[in-house]
Amino acid sequence: MLKLTSHTFRLNNGASIPAIGLGTWQSQDNHTREAVKYALQHGYRHIDTALNYGNEKEVGEGIRASGVPRDQIWVTTKLDNHWHHRVSEGLESSLKDLGLDYVDLYLIHFPCSTDPADRSKHLPDWDFVKTWQEMQKLVGTGKVKTIGVSNFQISHLERLLGDPSCKVIPAINQIELHPHNPSPKLLEYCKNKGIHCTAYSCLGGNTSSAINAHTNLIDGPLVLKIAEAKRKTPAQILLMWGLQRGSSIIPKSVTPSRIDSNFQMDDWSLSEDEIAALSGIQTRAKVVGDAWMPIRVFLGDDE
């Protein structure tokens, strides 16, 4: 069996991203700093943040407090929607707050170019294709090692990859992945294009569902049944499902015991039948929606 805590996924530019990282969405202040410090001191080597999260300063403080050498840590951050036409400035803002000279991965957070003067509007003369043109200019500057996208659906990727200006294929598409939002078509599309997928919200969270007002995946009867049979936590079952589908994962927690538990992925696995059963859950629900943006970005072409 793979030692998943030290396993990496090889990307299309030759870089290798750790299989398991720490997500920091909705983590704030001292909680973020201590969680990052603790995770790095207990084996994690990937920390994921974003300008949008408002916690890059605390993430950087946690990295420095950990004592782990910078060159042993993979740091991901993201360009916010209203910075699409100011890519280099967005990067400089993130580097300043992080207190770092470079990031290992820089992502377009959403395929939505929001007008900074009025965030209820989309920029009339700009879209993610132009943003990617600017992202490509970062390659070779020493400030970004790898570039990619996040929350891109098949139609977005088709448009981007089909544009003559696209000279660098995104190395990664960071997307919401869990059994209530498995996105098999999008995963297969990315695989065929050489784009690795990183799963966020991989425990499902408290998701909105067309079937139920709220659906808590981690308490689902199937997940609980498999967890009992494996003598693992429900969270570990969901994380292993993501890993065995070939995606890296970035579960979020600020609790030391859960940070530890989420990293205990070595020397066990799910059977093919268990993976199939989890993948066969019919409920569809998402943690992250697009109602707060001026345009729709989740287009339903990922199934």
Side-chain angles (χ1 to χ4, degrees):
M1 292 184 183
L2 285 175
K3 292 284 186 181
L4 291 170
T5 52
S6 59
H7 183 61
T8 59
F9 290 100
R10 188 85 164 172
L11 305 179
N12 61 22
N13 68 342
S16 295
I17 186 171
I20 306 171
L22 179 74
T24 64
W25 179 44
Q26 297 182 329
S27 297
Q28 295 298 327
D29 304 325
N30 188 55
H31 293 296
T32 302
R33 184 166 47 251
E34 291 304 311
V36 169
K37 175 184 173 183
Y38 184 89
L40 289 172
Q41 290 179 338
H42 289 79
Y44 284 72
R45 288 298 179 265
H46 177 194
I47 305 296
D48 178 271
T49 184
L51 191 156
N52 174 266
Y53 300 169
N55 63 11
E56 289 174 311
K57 182 175 181 290
E58 291 74 24
V59 167
E61 290 172 352
I63 289 171
R64 287 184 290 279
S66 74
V68 177
R70 171 66 183 95
D71 62 4
Q72 294 181 20
I73 306 169
W74 180 286
V75 179
T76 297
T77 195
K78 310 174 191 78
L79 178 77
D80 205 359
N81 294 352
H82 59 286
W83 290 77
H84 271 220
H85 62 313
R86 300 172 292 162
V87 170
S88 61
E89 293 175 51
L91 173 62
E92 291 298 334
S93 173
S94 289
L95 290 175
K96 180 181 178 181
D97 285 345
L98 286 163
L100 299 177
D101 296 326
Y102 70 93
V103 291
D104 298 87
L105 176 62
Y106 197 45
L107 304 175
I108 299 177
H109 204 157
F110 288 94
C112 176
S113 305
T114 303
D115 186 342
D118 183 353
R119 298 190 190 181
S120 68
K121 296 180 180 178
H122 193 269
L123 286 170
D125 59 346
W126 200 274
D127 63 15
F128 60 83
V129 174
K130 287 188 176 181
T131 308
W132 190 249
Q133 292 170 16
E134 297 303 307
M135 292 282 287
Q136 291 178 134
K137 294 177 183 178
L138 301 176
V139 178
T141 63
K143 296 180 179 182
V144 172
K145 291 192 173 183
T146 302
I147 57 174
V149 298
S150 180
N151 296 299
F152 273 50
Q153 305 289 279
I154 292 173
S155 57
H156 300 127
L157 291 168
E158 286 274 74
R159 184 166 172 229
L160 178 62
L161 299 179
D163 193 276
S165 68
C166 181
K167 307 300 183 184
V168 178
I169 296 174
I172 282 179
N173 187 14
Q174 187 181 119
I175 52 180
E176 180 176 341
L177 287 174
H178 49 76
H180 284 172
N181 192 64
S183 304
K185 288 184 179 178
L186 180 54
L187 271 181
E188 186 64 19
Y189 179 89
C190 288
K191 180 181 178 181
N192 289 337
K193 298 297 183 179
I195 302 170
H196 174 72
C197 289
T198 295
Y200 74 78
S201 294
C202 34
L203 301 181
N206 290 312
T207 54
S208 299
S209 168
I211 301 172
N212 303 300
H214 291 285
T215 303
N216 198 346
L217 173 64
I218 208 164
D219 292 333
L222 177 60
V223 175
L224 292 174
K225 179 182 177 182
I226 296 174
E228 182 178 4
K230 291 288 186 183
R231 297 184 180 180
K232 300 296 179 183
T233 68
Q236 288 171 330
I237 298 304
L238 293 171
L239 296 176
M240 185 61 79
W241 176 85
L243 288 165
Q244 288 187 232
R245 293 175 90 217
S247 63
S248 52
I249 58 171
I250 46 170
K252 175 256 176 177
S253 182
V254 295
T255 307
S257 60
R258 290 179 182 169
I259 292 172
D260 285 335
S261 178
N262 291 344
F263 202 60
Q264 293 169 5
M265 295 287 115
D266 288 342
D267 301 321
W268 68 281
S269 64
L270 297 173
S271 69
E272 290 184 7
D273 287 344
E274 288 165 337
I275 293 173
L278 290 166
S279 298
I281 293 174
Q282 294 301 303
T283 300
R284 291 292 175 263
K286 282 180 60 60
V287 175
V288 176
D290 56 12
W292 57 279
M293 288 183 274
I295 62 169
R296 288 189 62 213
V297 299
F298 299 121
L299 308 175
D301 63 354
D302 59 340
E303 282 292 314

